[in-house]
Amino acid sequence: MKISVTINNKPAEFDVMPDEYLADSLRRYGYLSIRKGCDTGSCGLCTVWLDDKPILSCSVLSMRAMGKQITTIEGVKEEAKECAQYLVGEGAEQCGFCSPGLIMTILAMKRELVNPTEQDIVHYLNGNLCRCTGYVGQLRAVKKYLGVE
Amino acid sequence: MRVVNSPVSKIDGMQIATGAPVYTDDLVNNALVIKLLRSPHAFARIKSIDIERAKKVDGVEYIFTYQDVPKKRFTVAGQSYPEPSPYDRLILDEYVRYVGDEVAIVVAETEKAALKAMKFIKVEYEVLEPVLDFETAMNHPIVVHPEDNLEVNFDIGMQKGKNIVAAYKFEVGDVEAELKKCDTVVEETYYSQAQAHAMMETYRAFSYMDHNGRLNVVSSTQVPFHVRRIMARALDIPKSTVRIIKPRIGGGFGGKQTAVMEFFPAFVTWATGKPAKLVYDRKETFSCTNSRHAMRIKVKIGSDKEGNIEVIDIEALSDTGAFGEHASTVFPLVAEKTLPLYNRVKASRFEGQAVYTNKMPGGALRGYGATQGAFAVETAINKLASVLKVDPITLREKNLIKVGEEHPILHGATTKPSALTSSTLDKCIARGKQLINWDAKYPREIIDDTKVRGLGMAVTMQGSGIANIDTASAEIKLNDDGFYTLLFGATDMGTGCDTILSQMAAEVLDISMDRIIVNSCDTDISPYDPGSYASSTTYVTGNAVIKAAEDIRQQIINKGAEFLGLAPKSTQFEGGIVKSSDGNKEISLNEIAQRLSSSEGQDQLIGKGTFGSETSPPPFIAGFAEVEVDKETGQVDLINYVAVIDCGTLINPKLARIQAEGGLVQGIGMALFEDVIYTDKGKMATNTFMNYKIPSRKDIGKIIVEFEPSYEPTGPFGAKSIGEIVINTPAPAIAHAIYNAVGVFVTSLPITPEKILEFGHPQGAYPKL
Amino acid sequence: MITIKDYALPDTLEEAYNLLNKKRSNTVLGGGAFLRLGSKKIGTAIDLSKLMLDAIEETDEFIEIGAMVTFRQVETDPVLKKFANGILSQAVKNIVGVQLRNIATVGATVYSRYGFSDFITALLALDTKVLLHKRGLMRLDEFLADGAKNDILVKVIINKTGRKAAFNMMRNSQSDYAILNVAVSRLADDWKVIIGARPHRAAIAYEASKYLSGSDLTGESVQQAATIASKELSFGTNIKGSREYRRKISTALVKRAVLEVLA
């Protein structure tokens, strides 16, 4: 089935199966920053934005993206780099496999929350699992990035 | 020091953080997809397999069964040759030994086709009674490995007819006699679970044949050189025909020290000549790979009235599951990383076995037996403190090993007694005590009618590499434009070893890090390294890198002097270039490099270094937990966790800190959340992140890490290891804190709210404290 | 792994209803996240996205939550954050992460009558009805007993009776499913005590509710009501906890929720 989408601000046409999930379609179309970590909607690695909202692309049928705007980390490169500098500054990227999904969630949070507290940050990012860092360094990085005391 | 001991960022950090396609599955081109048909039974013999209908599914290229594979048994444990793990596997076997064991290899154009074909494979099983309880596996009438072509490289105490894979005994002094003389003896049995690595990137590999007819395997592995050897044996082909390439790794934690699945694509490609890839899903990663060895550990500790520990007696039983990967080497660490801490005992003993069962195999996981040992022994020490009514810190101060003192297995089972050359454990304890506010809060603080806070602590040690066995090499090449390539076979799985090893090289070569390219790992190119495991990379590979850097520095001094028309001793090496001693003449690295690579110089400079250690100097850690327990529900909130660490010199304080924080949280997961549950038919029920709960951001409380660096004389710039030790203290320290809160020592991991309530009644009938 | 043959985006509820009833294998899509965990073979997947069911609307008497409203909307909606002490927002906010809550829908959760649901437990403590396309309005407890029977759930409608409410749950890891959840509400002398994730579907503890409604609400009565609740409902064992453990902690959770409502 052919669907028209906007991906990273450019119109595109994807040919997808009705039972294909967005993460698989995106990887198939070369968006390799999308990682799958769990098969159960539990880990947050595959986070992209659908109409500017962070979603798990592993759990949204590709057909649902029809007519919508998809944003991957490739589409917010400069902002992602700025955010990544803070993560890397704390060593909190470690293996890096979950970082693109985390950064997409952080950037969504930046748009959605005004003056978040530490607690708000932890709550917003709780769907992004990480096995390397123990989260503490990531929190330090995000607080510095957002200027949270 | 200029570059060493500074918090530089990871050299690959920005690329991987922003989604660069540099992991195994990002690099695959046009490969056939492999899916594996797995056994639904815990133990069965395959009577027949009918693949005819499945083969006809559109897009299916090949289906292989046990009749199609080589008959030579091998091990997938990533260990130096001769591996202590038994050769007890085949690529596919007539027997399936756990739920999830592989039955057939399906190769298709698409995943969908492979999955569809799998449904049409008809397997007739002779279902056998499985051995599921490891405590009754020994001498069980059912034998997990009845085959007669299982091999071991040397005696590991195997008695396979009794399901015993390995046995080990160590004794100093007369334990029974000394126990009788003790004023106080505590005794307890502890259980630790088969923790999952849960690295975010699941297992994956792909393979292809190259222009020279050689088998290339690209794998997310911690041990490329071991994988090369394992592939060669599994496929029964010469090692020289195999090449292993390791791209970026999305986490390992020891899981990828075992080559759990590379042999499937390798076999398919070798058999068919076609590129093939295999990516495990999360369920397969949880239930069909490897985990920490579940263990039962009995501990007996005797002391006098003053709290001088006289005897430690440990008995361990390790569940290695269906195959013996790391079986013989994991459980001895229960003793090797606990007994030396309390070196003043008059007698100590360790006896243990690893047994086969019909469950997923155990393997290497961060801590490697030391973690299980720390939970048991440190909890028993804490119990002793409570029986003696002494402060557990005082008890430890009285008994812990100090610099200059010896213990027979301080550096592992294979070495001679030797002395402790570096430790600030006493300072770690003192600092941790301050940070957790021990004097004000120990043992407990009543919050309200239902909530109590408690404090607990534990100390542990690990090693730095495997003494007298693992040996690493490094090379440094001067390139024609005056920059270096650093080559090694250690594997950065997020730990940052590419960065810290190039920090070490940059330090010796007195040059900025951007002039050093890191290359790791391609077995055709990289110098030999066992890989990254056993807390070895900083210490073992680090020392090799220093040697290689010193080697090439001398070569550069010699060449620079020659070009300057001076004797080497009339020159100095400064800022990465060669100058005359008076500083009047100099030659740049760039110029040396260009002249050497021209017809004038005709000399490619390559520095090399190889290092293997006679000792495995232990890092130390003191961990302190503050928990809040809800007496009515048993819920535990971790409020604070303090860890103070002696890992010698910090090569990179930032990366050491993040390693520590990450390891602590894995330990916290093991202590509180990560439950492994099998059904009574032997199927793992906790095979998703929905049911196997690694800690989330909300579960960890406040984590405080500090360092008290000693200087290890044998270490690179005085460094010891950090990777593994950090996982060891949370389980015993948290168990202790819970005890101090509500008077209940939970002796099996994880310590769930339900277990706490089993001991105490919700209406407050906990033991009187 | 699920399979889907065809995908439909009906323009009207009637069209969706007819499609659903055309073939047994046809299925209405919610967010798609839980669906994926099963192995259903779906003929036509029916996507309700075009039917404007994604709004939370407040009138003088009711709050209406459309079937396609996501948990994240429930969590952040200014009305729901306050309504009935915000228990609906409270109940959904710990479910996995923001990204999943941006997908999971109210309709699919209620329609599927998941036993582990925190949201249903909270809804049940309020004066809630569901609107089905054919069968019309139905009380939530009746719907939970009866099921959707191939009808289409259009919206959830809550009567703004002015109940005070509290939601409470027990999770080990904070990102886990609840081992048990409890909602309690009070409207004058009328109390409702709900226990869910037992692990069976959420249910009203009628005896405990009745006892509380007629009691003096002293500490002892509250304890008594909690004990009654823990005895009248059945509990079961699953991977998250045993029957005995659930029963034990139900007393504490009910007691605390009642006290919170009284506070």
Side-chain angles (χ1 to χ4, degrees), chain A residues 126-146:
Chain A
N126 203 43
N128 288 84
L129 295 181
C130 165
R131 189 60 155 171
C132 289
T133 65
Y135 306 115
V136 196
Q138 295 181 347
L139 183 60
R140 282 195 297 271
V142 174
K143 282 168 75 179
K144 282 183 192 166
Y145 173 54
L146 300 177

Side-chain angles (χ1 to χ4, degrees), chain A residues 111-123:
Chain A
R111 283 161 173 69
E112 199 175 327
L113 303 186
V114 187
N115 298 325
T117 62
E118 183 176 312
Q119 211 179 355
D120 295 335
I121 294 170
V122 169
H123 180 68

Side-chain angles (χ1 to χ4, degrees), chain B residues 336-337 340-341 401 405-412 415-421 461-462 616-618 620:
Chain B
E336 286 165 25
K337 305 303 175 197
L341 282 168
I401 189 168
E405 294 179 1
E406 289 189 354
H407 190 274
I409 52 173
L410 181 66
H411 297 289
T415 50
K416 294 186 290 285
S418 50
L420 180 63
T421 43
M461 59 178 273
Q462 195 84 32
S616 176
F620 294 98

Side-chain angles (χ1 to χ4, degrees), chain B residues 264-327:
Chain B
F264 293 115
F267 168 74
V268 168
T269 295
W270 188 254
T272 69
K274 293 186 182 174
K277 82 157 177 173
L278 177 57
V279 176
Y280 272 12
D281 64 22
R282 184 55 65 183
K283 276 188 186 162
E284 287 176 302
T285 296
F286 269 119
S287 57
C288 313
T289 59
N290 71 129
S291 68
R292 189 183 290 287
H293 284 83
M295 286 190 198
R296 180 191 70 195
I297 302 174
K298 295 181 178 173
V299 184
K300 231 185 258 182
I301 299 181
S303 84
D304 67 11
K305 284 193 284 288
E306 283 74 44
N308 293 303
I309 297 173
E310 313 280 21
V311 185
I312 302 181
D313 186 17
I314 308 171
E315 201 187 307
L317 183 69
S318 174
D319 183 355
T320 196
F323 299 98
E325 283 99 42
H326 303 273

